[in-house]
Amino acid sequence: MSDIKKVVLAYSGGLDTSVILKWLQDTYQCEVVTFTADIGQGEELEPARAKAIKFGIKPEQIFIDDLREEFVRDFVFPMFRCNTVYEGEYLLGTSIARPLIAKRQIEIARQVGADAVSHGATGKGNDQVRFELGYYALEPGIKVIAPWREWDLVSREKLLQYAEDAGIAIDMKHKQGGAPYSMDANLLHISFEGRHLEDPKAEAEESMWRWTVSPEAAPDKAEYLDLEFEHGDIVGLNGVRLSPAQVLTKLNELGGKHGIGRLDLVENRYVGMKSRGCYETPGGTIMLKAHRAIESITLDREVAHLKDDLMPRYATLIYNGYWWSPERRALQALIDTTQQDVNGWVRVKLYKGNVYTVSRDSKDTLFDQTIATFDDDGGAYNQADAAGFIKLNALRMRIEARAGRK
Amino acid sequence: MSDIKKVVLAYSGGLDTSVILKWLQDTYQCEVVTFTADIGQGEELEPARAKAIKFGIKPEQIFIDDLREEFVRDFVFPMFRCNTVYEGEYLLGTSIARPLIAKRQIEIARQVGADAVSHGATGKGNDQVRFELGYYALEPGIKVIAPWREWDLVSREKLLQYAEDAGIAIDMKHKQGGAPYSMDANLLHISFEGRHLEDPKAEAEESMWRWTVSPEAAPDKAEYLDLEFEHGDIVGLNGVRLSPAQVLTKLNELGGKHGIGRLDLVENRYVGMKSRGCYETPGGTIMLKAHRAIESITLDREVAHLKDDLMPRYATLIYNGYWWSPERRALQALIDTTQQDVNGWVRVKLYKGNVYTVSRDSKDTLFDQTIATFDDDGGAYNQADAAGFIKLNALRMRIEARAGRK
Amino acid sequence: MSDIKKVVLAYSGGLDTSVILKWLQDTYQCEVVTFTADIGQGEELEPARAKAIKFGIKPEQIFIDDLREEFVRDFVFPMFRCNTVYEGEYLLGTSIARPLIAKRQIEIARQVGADAVSHGATGKGNDQVRFELGYYALEPGIKVIAPWREWDLVSREKLLQYAEDAGIAIDMKHKQGGAPYSMDANLLHISFEGRHLEDPKAEAEESMWRWTVSPEAAPDKAEYLDLEFEHGDIVGLNGVRLSPAQVLTKLNELGGKHGIGRLDLVENRYVGMKSRGCYETPGGTIMLKAHRAIESITLDREVAHLKDDLMPRYATLIYNGYWWSPERRALQALIDTTQQDVNGWVRVKLYKGNVYTVSRDSKDTLFDQTIATFDDDGGAYNQADAAGFIKLNALRMRIEARAGRK
Amino acid sequence: MSDIKKVVLAYSGGLDTSVILKWLQDTYQCEVVTFTADIGQGEELEPARAKAIKFGIKPEQIFIDDLREEFVRDFVFPMFRCNTVYEGEYLLGTSIARPLIAKRQIEIARQVGADAVSHGATGKGNDQVRFELGYYALEPGIKVIAPWREWDLVSREKLLQYAEDAGIAIDMKHKQGGAPYSMDANLLHISFEGRHLEDPKAEAEESMWRWTVSPEAAPDKAEYLDLEFEHGDIVGLNGVRLSPAQVLTKLNELGGKHGIGRLDLVENRYVGMKSRGCYETPGGTIMLKAHRAIESITLDREVAHLKDDLMPRYATLIYNGYWWSPERRALQALIDTTQQDVNGWVRVKLYKGNVYTVSRDSKDTLFDQTIATFDDDGGAYNQADAAGFIKLNALRMRIEARAGRK
């Protein structure tokens, strides 16, 4: 333990990572570098600086970065190019943020000459895996300190005692038993786990949800929204060109207003257990629907099916923390290749929790009205061809049936 | 052509199949056996009998069957065991009915000694493929007559003229230009294609939808619904045990009332073109959501992922008409094996187009609260194990990074 | 039929395509442009020119191209990057040549202003599909003439009669009943089908094989061979740098000498029937073995497994004729991405039909002797990590077992 | 540590597991039950009994079982039904034996009331994972002792010293530096790892190989062999009906005689590193070839392709130790379903390292000579159908090309 000189800590400024900060100083007698990122979680970051200074961190070793554009542009958007959903429902809001944190932490470690990194994820969750696989993939010799797996502050009481002894301010919420849920937020979503939710029978309380109004409370009038796509990414809304983070911010606002993107599920963690989670992903829910719609007219059938076949594998890689793996990059090469002509616009209707695709068009459309029509197509498609098509596709089954197979 | 003696026609009693009936008699000079099935399309079947008799069909050669229970039990339910969705959105309502029609038509052909079968699907669509692959797989030597690919009644006008010449009653709707859409219905869904919908930019008109109220017009108060599962299939609703067809009928009623299951998409047909379709699948939409929820607590992670990986392939098989193929049966063997312990109940909330899972439980649950808890678990899970887990999973990436790969 | 002005025929100069040439002139009254390619089939091409001239083809409309380098560089090598094998055994020698022929035919059609293309493949085989899918993908409006599906020369006798009437020289071989097999050759392989082979019980006759000596007749002394790889392709043999076609030519020579690459199988054609084929692929058999060996030390495990998982799909695409499809290109993007670091050399031992990998090395190796050793590794790998790794991987199965699943 | 009462040890009777036996007694002060299995490794088992008695093991706690038939029938044969190969080459000889050992160990543990099991696999290899995943899946509460991960006998010298101190006889081989390779054998194969082989450049020495003669030394005359299949398994050789273990024993004898089944590769271990291994799998190599051959005439194309697509995943499951997982069982259900009609016989030719399929037949053949023939088929197949087949398969690519995609 004693051989660690300097550690970069992913520091939120909250109680838990503050205790970790102190514990690292106490336990490793090492310099701590704090890194706080704005990935759209919606919290003030400057208080983290003040707190870090109180722990004796030198100003030049306090890193506070606005990563919102990078987050959406290089992580969220690439993921959505594959219509990525884990286990049929989860939009991977937490999973996709971890690789970016890990990358920036390693960059800072190189910059300040740190030999270790540390994070506040527990030993039961997926996030420890996502952080650490990222660290190791990017910097194979880095040392990793995961306090929750190492220390003896195993109960809430011990943690609070440690904080008090260290003179860390404990706000009322923690004194009264802590947050009712374990939460995580970034521009893509906010998640809720733990406590009341640990019983899969228990319905989530309405008061839990933060980013979306309840569908019941959403406007009684639907709202239409136009989304402009270039190479599979959204570049404009309602005719206004926007940056990636602006796009997602605006979609969250609209989705939240209309009660869109609430989800309550039981998922399978990489570390082996099932876990109940509730999620609000207002903007992501709209993006997924619209991306499928623009692909529906611009992607070739077999390319679309290839992507659909590979999607669950790609989603699992991201969920499990393998963003920085070579197999994720290989899949991304395939996915990105397919998005060249995914251009055009989609109109969706937002209403009380629903996103409906109602219209779509593209200069690169593969929808051929002449051929698709039920009316006379003037010979664009020869119906007689279908007879041969069916006959040959049926041949192996006819042979099999004649051979008496049942 | 002249060598056909007796043909079994899938006969709806409507204008198109009535013209086909007459055309078969005229063209092939053969006996026609009519087969009309109730698969929940919501139309009276007895008029089909009267019409058939008018064409001179002998009463013993008129088959009218109620196939609703078989349809849901042996086709819809097995398909839903795989959370089956085509191209991310379509619940395969039309696709799953065709294999049953084909099967029954072949059974009747054997019973009456017919040497041919016929259907009213056009030469541009998927249904001709689904019907005929079924016919050939079940009876490899059967002859197939697809009038739409053979005759010269290529325009609506010619068809109506033929009908008039044949003394077939043409109701007002057809005189005025025919149905505004091409529709297909069964217990799982109703679909709309053609005309106004042929422009993917054009929003579907509210007046088009038949089975569901608009979300705007749906009740302002949410309704809760409990679904009971056994081996992956729904066997009861709100505590009342129901047969398969009763389950789906009731779910359609509830879903329709709450505006659930509307869908507007562009899909890729097996015959090679893209096609716009609108669907109402109220009961199916609820079933899919609930089935995922019951699986989320009763299926092992890797089994669930295996199913997710195979689902798009299974969906494509069904969409393309390969229900009766050996590869579909092989996949079904895998799927059915996994449903042994998919037992328990799910509570969903229905509200203005939304289905939310809010609660789920099972005597066969794999959700282990002791291990999943954020609180002290009394040693059920050793957090230190995670360090080794991560280290070994990272090893290959560390080796790669050390080798200088980027 | 009469609206075709000029057709580019894939012309070998043999009897069948000579009859086709004449038949096209007779039937379509159109100009014929002949295209003869050297793809390493080992036949003189100049006689084709003389024959074409005899049919009145203008010299500037006779195209004879040496495509060997392009064939290996842009088709064979890319395919081998994926260790591509169809149905576990077939190295796709015929399949991979067709897309190149189709591409060049379309290029010539554009150059000479032809409105149609024609080929000599029969209506039962895969090659018609491979040619025509290529034509249509590259030039969607092109007309395709497939004489074997159109004419009435359905028996060998009729064909010979037509040839005689047209004054086409018929050599002794054809007079005596034609070749004992249907053969196809290019730099990658020679194939045999038909006649004696149509009975899957009948052992192929030793006299059939052309490119390889029998293993029994091969040298009694093994020969070692070093293969140098760059980005997954072979760039040198035994220390001598060679062009792609030179590599394959040399490997064929060595493989043939040692009786390597004979194969006798029953395969599944895309058009629906099973077919017996015998193949000699001497160089390809060596390449496949060596490519797997160089990948074994330079590819990451999960990348290798991803490729293995996708390989059968990629192979089927090529077999079925979808080289020019967007889904093949998307897969190729993935495959090519993985080959960046597939550099190094492999030593194989060739002996009487066998290719053994005996040695491999690379500057980009991921084989880490320090970690892999059975001896003391000085702490490079912490064996205790394995306990946690196993524990967490087992967790879901333990939970399942505790739940009483069998 | 002190709470273990009785442990079942997988005991070979060799030096390493003898040291483990003693170390367990010393360290845990617990009863040791020895379990020695005959899975065809070709060693006497009775000496293990004598040795165990010397350690004070009670006779009724010494288990020596002949598991050869169970091994081949319930593990090897089911695996070969999928033509299972790991990373393109490895026939999984070691991997497939571990689940059986684990299963029997757990059965014995239940019978004798043991609370723990132990094995002699090291902390770097795959076998520890395979054993322990099996233990945990079958008996979730079992305790596992993996001495190699726990003790401090980290060098060969320390191990030998411990043995000497414990009065364990050390034979000359170990005194002289131990076996030149780490070996593992069972009815399916013998494997070699370590030492000289740790350098992937170093060619394996001829003296290493044990089960096969060198191809050079194999008979100069080829030998034909007929294999009879029922439901995908071999039930007879050369007309003689044999039990599963008899089949494999005989095939090993024949394969070994003809120098068949040698393999030298670098593989990717589940624990994260690459590892060089050499394998002799004489019987398995013949089985794989013959099984593909019998499937080639009895399996439907799409079923065969589905199996090929899933094979790498199934192989990886077995390699990684997930035989007793629910996902392996689900895949097995699919695989076994497909083997119903895999009946018939295959003739192979064995010659100096080669296995050639030369002939195959089945009463359940799907090879239809009438359709496959190059000669006139009397109308069994309508060549004109191919035109429509191609046209519709090309349609999406034509639309795409017309849209200007490159």
Side-chain angles (χ1 to χ4, degrees), chain A residues 38-335:
Chain A
D38 184 353
I39 48 171
Q41 64 269 48
E43 282 168 10
E44 287 294 315
L45 304 190
E46 282 308 312
R49 186 187 309 275
K51 288 184 187 172
I53 286 171
K54 277 181 75 172
F55 284 107
I57 312 299
K58 295 177 213 147
E60 69 271 22
Q61 302 212 333
I62 298 173
F63 289 78
I64 298 188
D65 298 332
D66 182 348
L67 303 178
R68 287 175 297 171
E69 288 295 347
E70 184 179 1
F71 176 50
V72 181
R73 185 187 66 230
D74 295 344
F75 296 81
V76 174
F77 274 6
M79 181 172 79
F80 272 77
R81 286 176 208 146
C82 199
N83 306 312
T84 314
V85 182
Y86 181 66
E87 297 189 340
E89 304 200 297
Y90 174 40
L91 294 182
L92 293 165
T94 301
S95 325
I96 194 62
R98 301 319 190 191
L100 169 56
I101 305 289
K103 165 175 169 274
R104 187 71 191 114
Q105 240 177 311
I106 292 298
E107 285 170 355
I108 292 170
R110 286 176 189 150
Q111 187 179 330
V112 302
D115 51 350
V117 288
S118 183
H119 62 76
T122 76
K124 277 189 173 180
N126 295 301
D127 286 333
Q128 56 175 341
V129 191
R130 294 167 187 153
F131 279 126
E132 298 179 27
L133 291 181
Y135 299 150
Y136 289 132
L138 296 168
E139 190 61 54
I142 198 75
K143 293 191 190 91
V144 175
I145 306 174
W148 286 99
R149 296 198 309 255
E150 297 183 17
W151 66 24
D152 58 354
L153 307 179
V154 291
S155 69
R156 205 71 206 159
E157 290 69 35
K158 286 192 181 174
L159 187 92
L160 291 176
Q161 187 60 50
Y162 192 97
E164 199 175 312
D165 295 350
I168 299 171
I170 303 169
D171 61 22
M172 200 50 69
K173 179 181 72 181
H174 288 106
K175 283 184 181 146
Q176 293 169 342
Y181 306 101
S182 167
M183 288 182 283
D184 176 69
N186 59 52
L187 256 186
L188 184 52
H189 89 346
I190 181 166
S191 68
F192 308 88
E193 290 184 297
R195 299 290 174 90
H196 175 70
L197 297 175
E198 285 180 3
D199 176 4
K201 282 191 303 299
E203 183 174 357
E205 297 159 309
E206 179 55 39
S207 61
M208 176 190 76
W209 307 99
R210 304 253 172 141
W211 283 17
T212 57
V213 301
S214 78
E216 285 88 341
D220 286 327
K221 197 168 155 25
E223 180 168 0
Y224 284 81
L225 172 67
D226 285 6
L227 304 100
E228 182 80 22
F229 283 88
E230 284 182 8
H231 309 317
D233 298 337
I234 302 175
V235 298
L237 297 176
N238 284 336
V240 181
R241 201 158 182 99
L242 298 172
S243 74
Q246 287 171 334
V247 163
L248 193 42
T249 302
K250 182 68 182 168
L251 289 177
N252 281 335
E253 182 193 315
L254 287 166
K257 170 184 165 191
H258 288 285
I260 289 164
R262 291 186 174 186
L263 189 63
D264 175 340
L265 53 72
V266 173
E267 72 199 51
N268 290 291
R269 288 198 191 144
Y270 189 29
V271 292
M273 81 278 281
K274 290 179 182 292
S275 159
R276 166 86 170 282
C278 288
Y279 301 98
E280 290 172 273
T281 321
T285 302
I286 299 171
M287 284 207 294
L288 174 65
K289 188 81 179 176
H291 188 262
R292 278 226 170 257
I294 191 65
E295 283 197 341
S296 79
I297 57 169
T298 57
L299 265 200
D300 170 78
R301 179 185 74 202
E302 293 303 312
V303 170
H305 290 193
L306 175 59
K307 284 183 65 212
D308 282 350
D309 287 345
L310 291 171
M311 186 277 280
R313 180 180 201 142
Y314 177 76
T316 299
L317 283 178
I318 295 175
Y319 184 85
N320 288 353
Y322 289 94
W323 181 266
W324 297 113
S325 72
E327 65 272 22
R328 201 279 309 171
R329 289 194 303 263
L331 283 168
Q332 197 73 52
L334 184 155
I335 294 162

Side-chain angles (χ1 to χ4, degrees), chain B residues 9-31:
Chain B
L9 170 66
Y11 182 60
S12 72
L15 176 68
D16 287 16
T17 51
S18 292
V19 170
I20 287 174
L21 199 169
K22 186 68 173 61
W23 180 86
L24 287 171
Q25 291 173 323
D26 292 351
T27 309
Y28 288 90
Q29 303 287 327
C30 64
E31 264 190 288

Side-chain angles (χ1 to χ4, degrees), chain B residues 82-383:
Chain B
C82 199
N83 306 312
T84 314
V85 182
Y86 181 65
E87 298 189 340
E89 304 201 298
Y90 174 39
L91 294 182
L92 294 165
T94 301
S95 324
I96 193 61
R98 301 320 190 191
L100 169 57
I101 305 289
K103 166 177 169 272
R104 187 71 190 113
Q105 239 177 309
I106 292 297
E107 285 170 356
I108 292 169
R110 287 178 188 150
Q111 187 180 331
V112 302
D115 50 349
V117 287
S118 183
H119 63 76
T122 77
K124 278 191 173 178
N126 295 302
D127 286 333
Q128 57 176 338
V129 191
R130 295 167 186 153
F131 280 126
E132 298 178 28
L133 290 181
Y135 300 151
Y136 288 132
L138 296 168
E139 190 62 56
I142 198 76
K143 293 191 190 92
V144 175
I145 306 173
W148 285 99
R149 296 199 308 256
E150 297 182 18
W151 67 23
D152 57 356
L153 307 178
V154 291
S155 70
R156 205 71 207 159
E157 292 67 36
K158 286 192 180 175
L159 186 92
L160 291 175
Q161 187 61 49
Y162 193 98
E164 199 175 314
D165 295 350
I168 299 171
I170 302 171
D171 61 24
M172 199 51 67
K173 179 181 71 178
H174 287 105
K175 283 184 181 146
Q176 292 170 340
Y181 306 101
S182 168
M183 288 182 283
D184 176 68
N186 59 52
L187 255 187
L188 184 51
H189 89 348
I190 181 166
S191 68
F192 309 89
E193 291 184 297
R195 301 290 174 91
H196 175 71
L197 297 176
E198 286 180 4
D199 176 3
K201 281 192 304 300
E203 183 173 356
E205 298 160 310
E206 179 55 39
S207 61
M208 176 190 75
W209 307 99
R210 305 254 172 141
W211 283 18
T212 56
V213 301
S214 78
E216 285 89 341
D220 287 326
K221 198 168 153 24
E223 179 168 1
Y224 284 82
L225 171 68
D226 286 4
L227 303 101
E228 181 82 23
F229 284 88
E230 284 181 8
H231 310 315
D233 298 338
I234 303 175
V235 297
L237 296 176
N238 284 335
V240 181
R241 202 159 181 99
L242 298 170
S243 74
Q246 287 170 333
V247 162
L248 193 43
T249 303
K250 182 68 183 170
L251 289 178
N252 281 335
E253 182 192 316
L254 286 166
K257 170 183 165 193
H258 288 284
I260 289 165
R262 291 184 174 188
L263 189 63
D264 176 340
L265 53 73
V266 172
E267 72 199 53
N268 290 291
R269 287 197 192 147
Y270 189 30
V271 292
M273 81 279 282
K274 290 179 181 293
S275 159
R276 166 87 170 281
C278 288
Y279 301 98
E280 291 172 273
T281 321
T285 302
I286 300 171
M287 283 207 295
L288 174 64
K289 187 80 178 176
H291 188 262
R292 279 226 171 256
I294 191 66
E295 283 196 342
S296 78
I297 55 168
T298 57
L299 265 201
D300 170 78
R301 179 186 72 201
E302 294 302 314
V303 170
H305 291 194
L306 175 59
K307 285 183 64 212
D308 282 349
D309 287 345
L310 292 171
M311 186 276 280
R313 180 180 202 142
Y314 176 77
T316 300
L317 284 178
I318 294 175
Y319 184 86
N320 288 353
Y322 289 93
W323 180 266
W324 297 112
S325 72
E327 66 272 23
R328 202 278 310 172
R329 289 194 304 263
L331 283 168
Q332 197 72 53
L334 183 154
I335 294 162
D336 291 354
T337 293
T338 67
Q339 301 293 294
Q340 188 57 35
D341 297 298
V342 181
N343 307 310
W345 62 265
V346 173
R347 179 167 299 159
V348 295
K349 178 181 165 184
L350 312 177
Y351 176 70
K352 284 190 179 287
N354 298 284
V355 190
Y356 298 102
T357 300
V358 300
S359 181
R360 67 297 269 165
D361 200 14
S362 171
K363 66 176 176 46
D364 294 302
T365 187
L366 298 175
F367 185 95
D368 188 323
Q369 205 160 332
T370 328
I371 286 175
T373 184
F374 276 77
D375 299 325
D376 191 342
D377 65 6
Y381 175 97
N382 183 356
Q383 303 210 14

Side-chain angles (χ1 to χ4, degrees), chain C residues 70-91:
Chain C
E70 184 179 2
F71 176 50
V72 182
R73 185 188 64 231
D74 295 344
F75 297 81
V76 175
F77 275 6
M79 180 172 79
F80 272 77
R81 286 176 208 146
C82 198
N83 306 312
T84 315
V85 182
Y86 181 66
E87 298 189 338
E89 305 202 297
Y90 173 39
L91 295 182

Side-chain angles (χ1 to χ4, degrees), chain C residues 78-204:
Chain C
M79 180 172 79
F80 272 77
R81 286 176 208 146
C82 198
N83 306 312
T84 315
V85 182
Y86 181 66
E87 298 189 338
E89 305 202 297
Y90 173 39
L91 295 182
L92 295 165
T94 300
S95 325
I96 193 61
R98 300 320 190 189
L100 170 56
I101 305 290
K103 166 177 169 273
R104 187 72 190 113
Q105 241 177 309
I106 292 298
E107 286 169 354
I108 292 170
R110 287 176 188 152
Q111 187 180 330
V112 302
D115 52 348
V117 288
S118 182
H119 62 76
T122 75
K124 278 190 173 179
N126 295 302
D127 286 333
Q128 57 176 341
V129 191
R130 294 166 187 155
F131 280 127
E132 299 178 27
L133 290 181
Y135 300 150
Y136 289 131
L138 296 169
E139 190 61 56
I142 199 75
K143 294 192 190 92
V144 175
I145 307 173
W148 285 100
R149 297 200 306 257
E150 297 183 16
W151 67 23
D152 58 354
L153 307 179
V154 291
S155 69
R156 205 70 205 159
E157 292 67 35
K158 287 191 180 175
L159 187 92
L160 291 176
Q161 187 60 49
Y162 192 98
E164 200 175 312
D165 295 350
I168 299 170
I170 302 171
D171 63 21
M172 200 50 70
K173 180 182 71 181
H174 287 106
K175 284 184 179 146
Q176 292 170 343
Y181 307 101
S182 167
M183 288 183 284
D184 175 70
N186 59 52
L187 256 186
L188 184 51
H189 89 346
I190 181 166
S191 68
F192 309 89
E193 291 183 297
R195 298 293 172 89
H196 175 71
L197 297 176
E198 286 180 4
D199 176 3
K201 283 191 305 299
E203 182 174 356

